[in-house]
Amino acid sequence: MAVSTAAGSAVAGEPIAGEPLCPQRMVMEHLTSRWGVMVLIRLLERSHRFSELRRSISTVGRVSEKMLAQTLQNLERDGLVHRDAKPVIPPHVDYSLTDLGREAAEQVRALALWTNERMDDVQKSRAAYDVAKGRASGF
């Protein structure tokens, strides 16, 4: 994946004025955002209604309705999440993964599992780095 920056002057994550971020980077941001990861992993289990998805995700962190809605819209726009709105009162909306979304969610889940399995090694590396740099641990 190539990300172009005019003469390399862009700050990481910020587009140059008038130049959009590359599409791959935007998809990566949607997939690996704090709530994107949680949505994808939860939807791997089964489809969810908005409120139950929010409750399920809130067991690991408090997500606002606005942020969850934005995350779901981004993932739907990218073709990863399917939104099924039933024409009933009160509204009944189910969210599920598309085939593309299932493929992406499996990759994200694998990365999350790897992170859990290797966290001790990462923490040891951070501590060794901090000692070598003369920093207090935790920075």
Side-chain angles (χ1 to χ4, degrees):
M1 166 174 58
V3 179
S4 62
T5 61
S9 62
V11 175
E14 295 180 12
I16 296 172
E19 183 179 326
L21 288 175
C22 72
Q24 294 91 342
R25 184 169 183 161
M26 291 302 297
V27 173
M28 286 293 294
E29 286 182 15
H30 295 161
L31 289 171
T32 60
S33 70
R34 178 179 185 182
W35 304 118
V37 168
M38 297 308 304
V39 165
L40 291 169
I41 289 173
R42 290 296 193 262
L43 291 179
L44 259 176
E45 301 163 2
R46 61 179 175 81
S47 65
H48 284 72
R49 291 181 70 178
F50 184 89
S51 58
E52 69 179 340
L53 185 58
R54 184 168 181 228
R55 277 191 306 272
S56 174
I57 289 172
S58 290
T59 62
V60 294
R62 184 109 172 105
V63 60
S64 68
E65 285 188 24
K66 180 182 177 183
M67 184 54 66
L68 180 56
Q70 182 179 355
T71 299
L72 287 164
Q73 287 172 355
N74 287 337
L75 295 172
E76 182 183 8
R77 183 171 184 247
D78 290 342
L80 306 173
V81 168
H82 174 71
R83 181 180 186 274
D84 183 21
K86 308 256 192 296
V88 295
I89 297 177
H92 182 105
V93 180
D94 285 313
Y95 293 91
S96 60
L97 293 174
T98 63
D99 290 341
L100 185 62
R102 180 163 300 284
E103 183 181 343
E106 288 169 354
Q107 299 297 318
V108 168
R109 181 175 58 184
L111 181 58
L113 290 171
W114 177 87
T115 303
N116 282 340
E117 292 169 5
R118 303 302 286 197
M119 199 60 217
D120 286 343
D121 295 327
V122 170
Q123 288 176 326
K124 288 175 188 172
S125 293
R126 287 178 175 175
Y129 179 91
D130 290 345
V131 167
K133 296 292 183 179
R135 300 182 188 172
S137 288
F139 287 97

